[in-house]
Amino acid sequence: MFNSLRRGGELVEWITWGPKPSPPRLVILVDVSGSMRQYAPFYLGLAWQLLRSDARVEVFAASTHITRITPRLRHSGPLGPNVIDTVEIGGGTRLGWAFFQMWQQYRQYLTRRTIFLVASDGFDTGESWRISQYFPLISHAVRVVYWFNPLLLEPNYTPRSSALIACLPWCQFHVGVRDEQSWQKLSRDVSSPTLFKKP
């Protein structure tokens, strides 16, 4: 702006004051319940790869409760012995409780610069009212919501679980990703992985 004044007021250069906007943050919630046992390792490996990139990533594991595993995953890698404790994997899924805990305990990560990614088949044994109450709040708070559903790659699959019926209207993307091949296909078909990187 000062240079333009020296050039007779011509707007030839703009100077922006203040700090640069922070890059997008990726928040990943991985369902590690019994029905997701065969798929969870891939999603944890994907989260680990994104942690090693220049993306700002927070990772949570969800089954009957939610656990922030970002430090463990960064330190041990996706197959590290302490990434997921044996009491945290398997059993039922309480997605409503997970979304409630995300909203109550980790709301600082849920901003208009957040990409929220849920990796789950949508099977749920918890209270459906928690899903209906808290997932829309999360969706409104963040920039965009992705739902990675491994069952979406199965022939003739139609989402019928009460959790998915409640959540999908609040998701911008519901995609079938469960292994490296399907992830690479998504990368080719949709430029969504570029959203996970700093601009």
Side-chain angles (χ1 to χ4, degrees):
M1 185 170 62
F2 296 114
N3 285 342
S4 72
L5 291 176
R6 288 199 294 269
R7 293 180 174 87
E10 206 174 318
L11 298 177
V12 297
E13 182 177 349
W14 290 95
I15 297 178
T16 303
W17 298 99
K20 294 182 180 179
S22 59
R25 180 193 301 276
L26 175 62
V27 175
I28 304 175
L29 181 69
V30 179
D31 182 348
V32 295
S33 63
S35 64
M36 287 288 293
R37 188 181 297 272
Q38 70 181 100
Y39 308 115
F42 166 74
Y43 295 124
L44 293 173
L46 177 61
W48 179 67
Q49 291 178 11
L50 292 167
L51 272 172
R52 296 176 66 223
S53 72
D54 60 354
R56 300 169 68 221
V57 181
E58 290 291 339
V59 188
F60 299 83
S63 55
T64 57
H65 61 284
I66 189 174
T67 305
R68 179 176 176 266
I69 61 170
T70 309
R72 304 186 204 172
L73 194 60
R74 183 179 286 115
H75 179 73
S76 301
L79 301 179
N82 297 319
V83 173
I84 302 293
D85 191 270
T86 54
V87 301
E88 295 170 339
I89 194 166
T93 314
R94 297 173 65 192
L95 289 174
W97 186 252
F99 298 143
F100 165 75
Q101 287 185 292
M102 283 293 305
W103 185 252
Q104 294 293 328
Q105 299 179 27
Y106 302 104
R107 198 182 308 181
Q108 70 270 25
Y109 298 131
L110 305 172
T111 72
R112 293 305 300 169
R113 296 192 60 79
T114 297
I115 300 161
F116 187 54
L117 192 161
V118 181
S120 173
D121 55 14
F123 293 143
D124 183 65
T125 59
E127 307 92 338
S128 58
W129 68 267
R130 289 188 187 273
I131 296 177
S132 299
Q133 180 173 346
Y134 289 100
F135 194 76
L137 293 176
I138 293 174
S139 179
H140 279 302
V142 302
R143 169 179 167 182
V144 65
V145 179
Y146 285 78
W147 194 293
F148 283 7
N149 184 349
L151 301 184
L152 203 56
L153 297 174
E154 298 294 330
N156 303 317
Y157 168 77
T158 301
R160 289 193 170 93
S161 73
S162 59
L164 283 176
I165 290 172
C167 290
L168 288 184
W170 304 100
C171 297
Q172 284 72 38
F173 298 94
H174 179 219
V175 292
V177 174
R178 67 184 181 193
D179 52 27
E180 186 66 27
Q181 182 180 2
S182 54
W183 170 247
Q184 291 299 331
K185 184 178 186 302
L186 176 66
S187 302
R188 291 191 302 268
D189 294 348
V190 186
S191 61
S192 58
T194 60
L195 295 175
F196 302 159
K197 300 177 182 178
K198 291 182 181 180

